[in-house]
Amino acid sequence: QVQLVESGGGLVQAGGSLSLSCAASGHINFNMYNMAWFRQAPGKEREFVAVITWNGNSIDYTDSVKGRFTISRDNAKLTLYLQMKTLKPEDTAVYYCAARYGTAIRYGTQNYNYWGQGTQVTVSS
C-alpha cells in the first residue's frame, strides 16, 4: 500500500506565498518514481502543474506557473514540495501530488499510479 499525503494548503491573499508538501509512505521506492503536482478548480478538469524526475534532474511546469512555482523533492525524506509565490486568484484549486513509476516525464493524469487526497489552496483577490 502506498500513501501520499499533502499538506500546507490554506487561504492567502493575491500576491502571497504558500508551500505545499507531499509525504510518501508504504511500499514505494520513492527514488524510482517521477513526482508531479496537479490541481483541480471547481467545475474544471484536473490539470498538470509541475513535474520532477526521480533524480531531480528534469523539471517542467505548465506555462501559467512558470517563474512563480518551484517543484523540488527530498528522496531521503520521501517528500515532494511545491513552493508557490505571487499567487493569483486563478491558482485557487485543490492541489494533488501524484507518483509515476519510471523515468519518462508525462503530463496526463492517466499516467500516474498513485495520488494523494489533495489540499485546498484558496487565493483571495
Side-chain angles (χ1 to χ4, degrees):
Q1 190 78 358
V2 174
Q3 281 193 318
L4 301 176
V5 180
E6 302 95 337
S7 61
L11 173 64
V12 64
Q13 288 189 331
S17 301
L18 277 177
S19 291
L20 305 183
S21 298
C22 170
S25 63
H27 296 289
I28 180 171
N29 190 343
F30 190 71
N31 59 13
M32 294 182 70
Y33 284 76
N34 287 355
M35 299 295 296
W37 289 98
F38 288 78
R39 66 186 179 186
Q40 188 167 17
K44 296 188 177 181
E45 293 190 352
R46 193 170 299 187
E47 65 172 2
F48 165 79
V49 175
V51 62
I52 184 168
T53 52
W54 65 276
N55 57 3
N57 283 353
S58 292
I59 289 172
D60 200 9
Y61 301 93
T62 192
D63 286 346
S64 63
V65 308
K66 285 181 179 177
R68 300 189 299 120
F69 290 12
T70 302
I71 188 172
S72 61
R73 64 190 294 164
D74 185 333
N75 286 352
K77 294 183 178 180
L78 308 186
T79 303
L80 174 73
Y81 304 98
L82 186 68
Q83 185 176 24
M84 305 183 292
K85 297 181 179 179
T86 320
L87 283 160
K88 304 175 181 180
E90 51 264 44
D91 295 318
T92 296
V94 177
Y95 283 70
Y96 298 89
C97 67
R100 181 184 183 280
Y101 182 79
T103 59
I105 288 182
R106 295 288 185 267
Y107 301 96
T109 58
Q110 70 276 12
N111 298 122
Y112 286 79
N113 307 104
Y114 301 107
W115 292 85
Q117 83 290 346
T119 186
Q120 177 70 48
V121 171
T122 303
V123 184
S124 63
S125 58

